[in-house]
Amino acid sequence: MRASVVIPCRNAERTVADSVRSAFEQTDAPLEVLVVDDASTDASADAARRAGARVIESRSRRNAGGARNVGIAAAKGDAFAFLDADAVAPRDWLERARRTFERDPGIVAVGGRIANGRPGRWGELDWFLNHSEWIRAGRPGPRKNIPTMGIVYRRDAVGDVRFPETNSGEDTAFALAVLSRGGRLWYDPEIVLTHRHERLDPEAFREKQVACGRTIYLTRMKLDRPGKALVRWPALLFLFPHLWVTVARMARAGYALRAVALFPWLMAGEVHRIRGFFEARKDRAAEVHTSRREESPEVIEGGEFSHREESPRSNRAEELRDAGARAQRGIRRSVEAYSPSRAPVAKRDPERASATREETA
């Protein structure tokens, strides 16, 4: 297996060099290490070059998904080894992936579990809330999704599949698209990636959880993922399903006491996620409303109207407006017909009208 390591990078000056070095230190040496700099505003590109990577700089934001697509287009290997710019791979990462591919041609990708590389409250909270599914060793086996923090895909399995150019659920969409072509994703708990993120303060923690809430809405709306019912019945979020799943996973992994100690902050994180979910839902509703307005009649030059095909609902609304206008005209005619002080009375009986004027005088 000749692997091209692809590292998407956005403002990771302090961590990307360690990621690059961990790629070069593999027991199975990679064919190349590519860092795709996603329009960083710091010195990420220089740090990656000093560590030995080939750097591809993007002049405009492509997000994590788009940066990986740039790496796919430039890669020469027969396998794509995706590694995050804040993750450190174990030395046998590529070797274990190669052995798995050789053992079973039906496996299209190999990934592993995630270890916390940032001790302390905020580092632990990020690890537990965002990666609780991958903190426990468990048993090796097929999975429907594995994070792209450190995963190796066969090139021929990927084919023309590409990542959505976003930071929201792009790895899930990519994995499902690859699986639709056939094959399995394989989870190897002996591959342990160390996550060394920079979200180490309350503000960064809040922003990350809000972003996760948005991702939950977008992925459940578009993809077949657990929790899809939340899109239809969002009130279920206030039962905090993800919180209880996270606490249960922590307990099974031997972190029950940490779950108790961190519970207030875990709860706060869930509240931020719910906020992000409803923000994304609101944005989606605004998009739908805008698209419906674009389908309504538009005024064109000369004051005429250009009508598009109308929905049954708009036809019904027009019928109701017409009926209301007819009713108002009927009321006005009735008032005019029965009011003795209005001009139409004189037309009906001129003599009576004249007599009325004389009596009044």
Side-chain angles (χ1 to χ4, degrees):
M1 181 183 75
R2 301 188 311 155
S4 294
V5 178
V6 176
I7 303 175
C9 178
R10 167 73 180 176
N11 291 342
E13 178 184 0
R14 291 186 292 271
T15 60
V16 67
D18 289 338
S19 297
V20 171
R21 282 192 285 267
S22 73
F24 278 120
E25 292 171 356
Q26 293 295 302
T27 53
D28 274 14
L31 175 66
E32 57 189 346
V33 177
L34 308 175
V35 171
V36 182
D37 184 71
D38 189 31
S40 293
T41 58
D42 63 5
S44 293
D46 293 336
R49 286 193 188 94
R50 288 194 298 270
R54 173 189 167 195
V55 177
I56 304 171
E57 295 189 58
S58 177
R59 299 299 179 186
S60 59
R61 285 293 305 273
R62 300 283 297 274
N63 297 312
R68 293 191 187 100
N69 291 339
V70 171
I72 289 174
K76 302 173 182 176
D78 56 15
F80 303 123
F82 297 112
L83 182 65
D84 281 2
D86 59 0
V88 173
R91 296 188 72 245
D92 60 350
W93 175 42
L94 297 181
E95 179 184 349
R96 295 190 68 88
R98 174 182 57 79
R99 290 180 176 176
T100 301
F101 288 150
E102 291 174 347
R103 184 178 69 250
D104 188 343
I107 292 175
V108 299
V110 181
R113 60 191 174 102
I114 299 171
N116 180 29
R118 296 297 191 191
R121 177 190 298 165
W122 304 114
E124 282 189 312
L125 286 169
D126 189 279
W127 185 44
F128 290 133
L129 280 172
N130 301 335
H131 307 295
S132 63
E133 188 175 357
W134 313 105
I135 64 177
R136 181 169 172 256
R139 296 181 179 180
R143 296 288 190 274
K144 291 185 178 180
N145 182 43
I146 298 176
T148 50
M149 184 178 295
I151 187 170
V152 185
Y153 280 88
R154 295 182 189 267
R155 187 186 195 110
D156 57 0
V158 171
D160 60 357
V161 174
R162 294 296 181 266
F163 288 89
E165 295 199 0
T166 178
N167 294 318
S168 301
E170 78 288 347
D171 50 355
T172 300
F174 183 81
L176 294 177
V178 172
L179 285 177
S180 70
R181 293 165 52 88
R184 293 169 292 156
L185 300 183
W186 192 260
Y187 171 66
D188 181 355
E190 296 303 315
I191 297 175
V192 184
L193 297 131
T194 303
H195 193 202
R196 302 181 62 198
H197 62 88
E198 297 280 87
R199 298 181 290 272
L200 302 174
D201 58 70
E203 182 65 18
F205 170 73
R206 181 191 63 79
E207 291 177 357
K208 176 62 177 178
Q209 299 313 311
V210 170
C212 285
R214 297 182 68 90
T215 297
I216 290 170
Y217 176 80
L218 294 172
T219 54
R220 273 58 181 181
M221 182 186 68
K222 299 177 181 178
L223 305 172
D224 184 17
R225 298 288 297 146
K228 196 173 181 66
L230 296 174
V231 175
R232 188 172 181 181
W233 298 293
L236 293 174
L237 284 167
F238 295 101
L239 298 177
F240 299 97
H242 181 259
L243 174 64
W244 307 120
V245 169
T246 297
V247 169
R249 287 171 176 168
M250 290 174 67
R252 287 197 299 269
Y255 296 103
L257 293 180
R258 294 305 298 153
V260 174
L262 294 173
F263 190 81
W265 292 276
L266 294 171
M267 174 68 79
E270 289 300 317
V271 171
H272 293 318
R273 282 175 173 243
I274 293 173
R275 172 189 165 186
F277 184 98
F278 280 99
E279 285 180 356
R281 186 170 180 264
K282 181 179 178 180
D283 291 346
R284 174 61 179 169
E287 291 175 5
V288 172
H289 179 70
T290 300
S291 65
R292 286 178 177 172
R293 289 187 62 183
E294 291 174 353
E295 294 174 0
S296 64
E298 297 178 350
V299 178
I300 62 175
E301 188 175 355
E304 297 178 354
F305 284 88
S306 173
H307 290 270
R308 298 179 182 175
E309 184 177 352
E310 297 180 347
S311 65
R313 178 177 294 181
S314 63
N315 289 335
R316 178 59 177 163
E318 186 174 347
E319 292 173 0
L320 291 173
R321 287 195 297 270
D322 291 343
R326 289 194 298 270
Q328 289 178 352
R329 288 195 296 270
I331 291 171
R332 284 197 297 270
R333 285 195 296 268
S334 299
V335 170
E336 292 171 353
Y338 291 100
S339 176
S341 62
R342 296 187 65 87
V345 175
K347 292 182 181 179
R348 290 194 301 273
D349 191 350
E351 294 181 359
R352 180 179 177 184
S354 176
T356 301
R357 286 193 296 270
E358 292 175 358
E359 291 175 2
T360 302

